[in-house]
Amino acid sequence: MEYIVSARKYRPVSFDTVVGQAALTTTLKNAVKSGKLAHAYLFCGPRGVGKTTCARIFAKAINCQNPTAEGEACNECESCQSFNEQRSLNIFELDAASNNSVEHIKTLMEQTRIPPQLGRYKVFIIDEVHMLSTAAFNAFLKTLEEPPAHVIFILATTEKHKILPTILSRCQIYDFERMTVRNTIDHLKHVAGQEGITYEEEALAVIAEKADGGMRDALSIFDQAASFCQGNITYQKVIEDLNVLDAENYFQIIDLSINNKVSDVMVLLNGVINKGFDGGLLIQGLAKHVRNVLMAKDPQTLPLLEVSDQQRQRYQEQAKKIDTRFLYQALRLMNQCDINYRQSSNKRLLVELTLIEIAQITQADDSASAGRSPRRLKSLFKHLIRQSTQPQTAAPQVAAAKPVASPHPASAPQEKSTAVGNSPLQAPSPKPGIKLGGLGFSWSNLRNNDKKSGKMNIIPGTPADNSNRPRTDMPFTQEDLELQWLSMCNRMPQEHSGIAARMKNMTPVITEGTAVEVTVDNALVKQDIDRIFKSILKTLQIYLNNSQLTLTILVSEKPAEVKILTRREQFEQMREKNPAVEALRQAFDLELA
């Protein structure tokens, strides 16, 4: 007996046997019952969902001489029998992928003129209609717009966007849905029962997921698995035959990650890669797994899981012991890894770093577990700041240890000391604390006075603020003024780097006593300096130790415009100053070019 693959053997022959397209088949049956048939239909959708099959069932039902009350073909009349025996002269099929020229369409259009010999309609099924050339579409357009009364066109395509809008506007469009995992599993159970094949539901779920919504693909994979398993389809044999990564790996990775077992995760990853699986495939599968766990946490989203009943139960059990924040952060990390995977030159390292970060999500920030906890930038900066400030804080501590002469030794209180052996030592002073907030300042406060303290804000010094210097009105030189001016410009914040760069090119000048003048190029620069004028003045007074210092900002005067003379004007000017030039011109009879 000849072997027939399941995709052909169990191909639907009636609307009721079509899987997963209930709304669409109901519409077509109602059209057959009522007799309200359009002259053109367009069936579009992904591969293997029943477009051509429904077109054949519909064409058979249209020409049935005794349709049932539900709109199905009777399978007993001459029209149905001729169709079943593939000798019907009223139904034509054309593969547009190989017959896409203008000549093929013209030949087809000539056949539309001949009325049907048996039945009411001539039905033309054009498969993969998007493969027609533009010229073929144009040749087909006129007949499609005004076909004969006995002609019905059924077009099928997987790429609707490639069809001309003028064709789409003349057709009734039916969009076929992808097969759900549950519908695919149920149909595979039916086929397995008809073939006498034993199975595990988890194995059928793997086949349904591998088919990616196509029933024809699912039946083809089912035949392949049945041959490999020799009539007993098990989960382990299916994943071995299809080279699919076992879902148990995903459950183990998540369980190990929430327990911060990074080493075990790395060992598991190495085993997966040694089996020939790609690291990017692992990340994609793990992301889908985490998404399913997230859906399993809420009863409302539980129906979104397209898995078997056993898998759904496992997802629910794992979702109960995992925090939602862990799932969100893990999805974000894996999505970033998937984006960077193609561009990465070391793909395995990228996958390993991603899994390490996932395994550290639930780990405490200050944990001391063999250096596994991720170091935060803030704590790292604090550590570096303390190291950089140790040499600066050491000098005051040494200076404090030196004895200081007191004008009244008798009345001076004795310092507390700690004896180590026979040597008295001064009690150690506490280390000064460093705060991140003290390293910067707000430039917006330089524009006005500090209302709380009543002091004028100044541009802070480097390395220490000099706002507490005693103001003794000491004299200063031009060199001191220029040095403090340049230092002040270098200490300005980044957002005012523009005005600081301009001020570096300016030279303050002592005009009389403590009066200082600065000349700027234009009024716009003067406006920028006026916004921080008080802060600049106060800064110079403090750093030059002279509170009598005054500052004046002047705008340079524009030089008088010098008119550019033409060559003739230059010659006229030279002739007026020196008459010998005119005599020379006349002697040689020269003309100015």
Side-chain angles (χ1 to χ4, degrees), residues 82-100:
S82 62
F83 178 84
N84 294 336
E85 296 173 3
Q86 298 182 359
R87 56 182 178 84
S88 176
L89 300 177
N90 295 336
I91 300 175
F92 299 87
E93 288 192 33
L94 177 69
D95 181 19
S98 56
N99 302 280
N100 54 8

Side-chain angles (χ1 to χ4, degrees), residues 239-506:
I239 63 174
E240 180 183 355
D241 180 38
L242 301 181
N243 196 27
V244 177
L245 187 59
D246 190 0
E248 184 65 26
N249 294 296
Y250 303 138
F251 284 100
Q252 291 182 9
I253 291 176
I254 298 303
D255 289 337
L256 294 174
S257 297
I258 60 178
N259 294 321
N260 310 128
K261 296 182 179 180
V262 179
S263 301
D264 296 337
V265 173
M266 293 295 101
V267 172
L268 194 152
L269 172 63
N270 184 68
V272 170
I273 294 178
N274 289 340
K275 291 180 181 179
F277 293 101
D278 183 59
L281 180 65
L282 174 66
I283 291 295
Q284 294 175 5
L286 186 61
K288 183 178 180 181
H289 174 84
V290 173
R291 177 260 181 194
N292 290 342
V293 175
L294 184 62
M295 296 298 103
K297 291 187 71 69
D298 192 342
Q300 294 182 351
T301 57
L302 191 60
L304 299 179
L305 295 182
E306 295 185 348
V307 294
S308 62
D309 296 335
Q310 293 85 348
Q311 289 287 86
R312 182 180 286 104
Q313 183 65 27
R314 291 202 61 185
Y315 280 121
Q316 287 181 299
E317 293 175 357
Q318 191 173 62
K320 292 178 181 178
K321 55 184 179 181
I322 298 179
D323 187 28
T324 306
R325 291 177 295 179
F326 170 85
L327 300 176
Y328 286 150
Q329 295 184 31
L331 284 174
R332 178 179 56 82
L333 292 172
M334 287 183 288
N335 180 61
Q336 191 65 32
C337 176
D338 186 50
I339 294 174
N340 300 329
Y341 189 79
R342 292 185 179 180
Q343 291 77 17
S344 176
S345 58
N346 193 341
K347 297 182 177 1
R348 175 164 182 170
L349 179 60
L350 177 63
V351 174
E352 289 176 344
L353 290 176
T354 302
L355 294 179
I356 290 173
E357 289 181 310
I358 294 174
Q360 292 178 339
I361 292 176
T362 59
Q363 191 168 348
D365 293 339
D366 297 327
S367 174
S369 57
R372 295 180 187 173
S373 62
R375 176 177 292 177
R376 299 208 174 184
L377 290 177
K378 188 173 182 180
S379 60
L380 177 62
F381 286 157
K382 286 183 177 180
H383 178 66
L384 295 176
I385 292 168
R386 292 193 185 100
Q387 288 183 347
S388 63
T389 55
Q390 282 179 0
Q392 298 179 6
T393 57
Q397 293 176 1
V398 174
K402 296 180 180 180
V404 181
S406 175
H408 303 285
S411 61
Q414 296 182 356
E415 296 180 354
K416 295 181 181 180
S417 62
T418 304
V420 179
N422 297 327
S423 303
L425 296 177
Q426 183 181 1
S429 59
K431 295 182 179 180
I434 301 295
K435 296 183 178 180
L436 290 177
L439 296 179
F441 61 93
S442 175
W443 181 255
S444 60
N445 293 334
L446 299 177
R447 301 178 181 179
N448 49 32
N449 294 337
D450 190 353
K451 298 181 180 180
K452 296 182 179 180
S453 60
K455 298 180 181 179
M456 178 69 66
N457 290 323
I458 68 164
I459 300 174
T462 303
D465 193 350
N466 296 329
S467 57
N468 295 326
R469 286 186 178 183
R471 303 179 185 180
T472 55
D473 295 341
M474 295 179 60
F476 56 90
T477 63
Q478 179 67 26
E479 290 77 8
D480 296 335
L481 176 61
E482 293 179 2
L483 175 62
Q484 295 302 331
W485 180 270
L486 183 60
S487 300
M488 177 182 62
C489 295
N490 291 332
R491 296 194 300 270
M492 287 188 177
Q494 182 65 27
E495 59 266 24
H496 289 80
S497 58
I499 186 62
R502 294 189 183 97
M503 291 175 60
K504 287 181 183 179
N505 297 326
M506 303 174 188

